[in-house]
Amino acid sequence: MAVLNALKSPDKADLKEALRKLDCKLEDVLPELNESDGKPYYRKLLFQNDEVELLVMNWSALECAPHDHGESHGWIQVLSGVSKNTVFEARDRYLPRELFEELHEEGRLFFAPRKGVHKMKAEGGGELVTLHLYAPPITGMKVYDLEACAACVVSDDCGAWWPEEQRQRVKEIRLAYSENS
């Protein structure tokens, strides 16, 4: 993990290059994977320091909730399967609006911008495994419940779903459907 330890305030290009240098393959992370236990994915933290964090996720058939990555940005690499990524436009205090969907196949990398809102799921019935490199480590992630017209800043140990445990709900936010509601 010397590649990751060398990163200092990495920008978008630095993170992408680091992920490429890691050259991680599915067989490298298989021992780290586990059952998702009714959640959209199981995640395992592989590396973290003050600058970056590296996680691996294996996905169930469930879709995660729309979410941002707090003040972090990073790259997602598809190690196996196909990811359906839905990107949203989010404006303060309003329900995010879906903009577009894109499919990312094995080997593909895609960028998650700071404050960008998206949701993911496995597409096509195959097993989806993804590698995520973020800077700085994610904190203050906001998860959206589109049906309840609400958002929730979640604790660092919560994934991209509405938290069941009260302790994982750092701050709940009521949203408006549009500027006219």
Side-chain angles (χ1 to χ4, degrees):
M1 296 293 175
V3 168
L4 300 179
N5 271 322
L7 294 172
K8 302 296 178 217
S9 299
D11 64 15
K12 180 179 179 179
D14 296 332
L15 290 174
K16 187 175 187 180
E17 180 62 20
L19 201 52
R20 288 199 166 143
K21 282 182 180 176
L22 287 175
D23 192 30
C24 188
K25 306 285 187 239
L26 178 62
E27 52 271 13
D28 299 330
V29 297
L30 280 176
E32 306 300 333
L33 305 180
N34 209 332
E35 295 297 317
S36 62
D37 291 331
K39 303 288 189 217
Y41 56 82
Y42 169 80
R43 70 180 183 166
K44 172 75 183 240
L45 181 65
L46 300 176
F47 177 88
Q48 185 178 54
N49 63 18
D50 291 341
E51 302 289 333
V52 298
E53 71 179 358
L54 180 70
L55 303 115
V56 65
M57 298 177 188
N58 58 294
W59 294 76
S60 70
L62 301 174
E63 181 173 66
C64 72
H67 64 282
D68 68 18
H69 299 111
E71 293 299 322
S72 302
H73 66 281
W75 287 90
I76 301 166
Q77 179 181 4
V78 180
L79 296 179
S80 75
V82 177
S83 168
K84 179 178 172 184
N85 185 48
T86 305
V87 175
F88 293 79
E89 175 186 41
R91 293 176 303 144
D92 194 39
R93 300 286 179 186
Y94 297 102
L95 197 64
R97 183 175 61 92
E98 188 175 316
L99 294 177
F100 61 90
E101 295 176 344
E102 53 193 3
L103 297 179
H104 300 287
E105 297 179 350
E106 185 175 322
R108 202 55 212 284
L109 282 89
F110 59 101
F111 187 65
R114 186 174 280 110
K115 294 294 183 185
V117 175
H118 77 127
K119 67 180 179 178
M120 291 174 57
K121 70 178 267 188
E123 185 71 12
E127 182 175 330
L128 176 61
V129 178
T130 53
L131 190 66
H132 303 244
L133 179 60
Y134 299 109
I138 295 173
T139 189
M141 181 170 76
K142 190 183 293 179
V143 175
Y144 294 87
D145 183 330
L146 301 181
E147 291 179 17
C149 202
C152 184
V153 176
V154 299
S155 62
D156 296 349
D157 67 332
C158 187
W161 50 80
W162 198 264
E164 295 170 2
E165 297 179 44
Q166 188 62 42
R167 69 169 185 76
Q168 292 180 316
R169 298 177 192 179
V170 175
K171 179 181 178 184
E172 291 187 51
I173 305 160
R174 298 298 311 159
L175 300 173
Y177 283 101
S178 69
E179 292 180 55
N180 302 326
S181 0

